[in-house]
Amino acid sequence: MQVVSSLNQLDSILNGYKGQKRSIGFVPTMGALHKGHISLVSCSNCDNDVTVVSIFVNPTQFNDKKDLQNYPRTLEADLKLLDEHEVDIVFTPTESEMYPSPDSRVFEFGKLDKTMEGAHRPGHFNGVAQIVSKLLEAVKPDSAYFGEKDFQQLAIIKQLVRQQKLPVRIIPCPIIREPDGLAMSSRNVLLLPNQRKEATLISKTLFESLNLAKKLSTTELKTWVVDNINKSAELKVEYFEIVDDTELLPISSWNEPKEKVGCIAVKVGNIRLIDNIRYNL
Ligand code: AMP
């Protein structure tokens, strides 16, 4: 496994592989790796000759400075894990490598970034688009792997790739959960023991809502989900929306012939967790 920090080094290694017509899979991450990230790596390893993972805590996507400061950083353990999972190249750039000058690009995603995460985290998706476009430009992979855990992010990246006509396949990967159902997240390690225990109510409620969806309207179900989670003194729902899986427009009836996804964000103390679930009625 080669670990490189400069775009030039990355380019010269990748040129070697591309000269040999090897296919390249790419997994962008912010580090503090867990089994969710590793599932993306495994998908990439299956599909490609070479897997590149980037580790970069991208400042432009953090609308909350404290969240950026507190974001877990575990580079040594991350590298060990990636080596064990047969990653070929790890790209660990510095901030000045990725942003030699401020990135003033403003992306236009129509309605996609106006709801849910976009509405609650102003500028977040613009920062995501900035870094993902730079990384895709640097790696030029055949395929790039993203988790469905960040459902809205995935929709936005697909749109970015369409808009910019980038020659890359975007491969969605399913949510990986802890044994008790909590969606794996780098931020989970920041939860205090009691918060961690209570946080299981998020996925439990989403799973229960699958059954209730047969009896309740979308509006009733939304109210039930929010109330059920807010029963815990540790949890505060920011939003729960049921949307279609491509345009992310709100669904008002189960009869709408669209793939439906319930997306949620919950504050657990100062930590913000997201999750989602598909309703296949
Ligand atoms: P992050 O390091 O949080 O930016 O995540 C890097 C990639 O891993 C993103 O595509 C995430 O959607 C994905 N990811 C994070 N957590 C999970 C999970 N629990 N299951 C599947 N993919 C995940």
Side-chain angles (χ1 to χ4, degrees), residues 28-31 34 36-37 39-40 71 145-150 153 173-176 183-186:
T29 82
M30 298 205 297
H34 49 68
H37 297 111
S39 73
L40 272 52
Y71 199 82
Y145 297 78
F146 292 88
E148 288 185 333
K149 153 120 182 332
D150 298 273
Q153 168 172 283
C173 303
I175 302 176
I176 304 298
M184 288 194 179
S185 162
S186 302

Side-chain angles (χ1 to χ4, degrees), residues 30-32 57 62 67-76 78:
M30 298 205 297
V57 182
F62 283 81
D67 187 26
L68 173 60
Q69 275 165 11
N70 293 339
Y71 199 82
R73 289 159 172 89
T74 58
L75 185 60
E76 216 173 298
D78 291 350

Side-chain angles (χ1 to χ4, degrees), residues 157-212:
I157 285 163
K158 285 181 188 161
Q159 176 78 342
L160 172 78
V161 164
R162 270 195 299 270
Q163 274 177 0
Q164 313 231 326
K165 300 189 172 61
L166 302 175
V168 58
R169 265 188 310 271
I170 299 300
I171 314 284
C173 303
I175 302 176
I176 304 298
R177 298 180 179 280
E178 298 287 355
D180 65 7
L182 181 67
M184 288 194 179
S185 162
S186 302
R187 290 186 175 87
N188 289 352
V189 297
L190 302 173
L191 298 170
L192 300 171
N194 191 43
Q195 292 174 329
R196 170 64 188 80
K197 216 171 122 217
E198 291 292 300
T200 60
L201 185 59
I202 303 167
S203 57
K204 276 206 183 96
T205 301
L206 293 183
F207 289 129
E208 267 184 69
S209 79
L210 287 177
N211 283 327
L212 283 173

Side-chain angles (χ1 to χ4, degrees), residues 9 61 64 72 88 103 129 192 233 241 260-261 263 281:
Q9 280 173 305
Q61 73 189 68
D64 175 349
D88 300 280
D103 190 342
L192 300 171
E241 298 286 351
K260 303 163 190 78
V261 187
C263 298
L281 299 178

Side-chain angles (χ1 to χ4, degrees), residues 22-80:
R22 307 270 199 102
S23 63
I24 313 277
F26 178 44
V27 180
T29 82
M30 298 205 297
L33 301 180
H34 49 68
K35 287 181 186 152
H37 297 111
I38 295 305
S39 73
L40 272 52
V41 167
S42 302
C43 286
S44 172
N45 276 340
C46 260
D47 296 349
N48 300 281
D49 301 319
V50 176
T51 292
V52 182
V53 174
S54 63
I55 299 179
F56 179 63
V57 182
N58 173 40
T60 71
Q61 73 189 68
F62 283 81
N63 54 312
D64 175 349
K65 279 219 175 79
K66 275 216 176 111
D67 187 26
L68 173 60
Q69 275 165 11
N70 293 339
Y71 199 82
R73 289 159 172 89
T74 58
L75 185 60
E76 216 173 298
D78 291 350
L79 294 178
K80 187 165 176 280

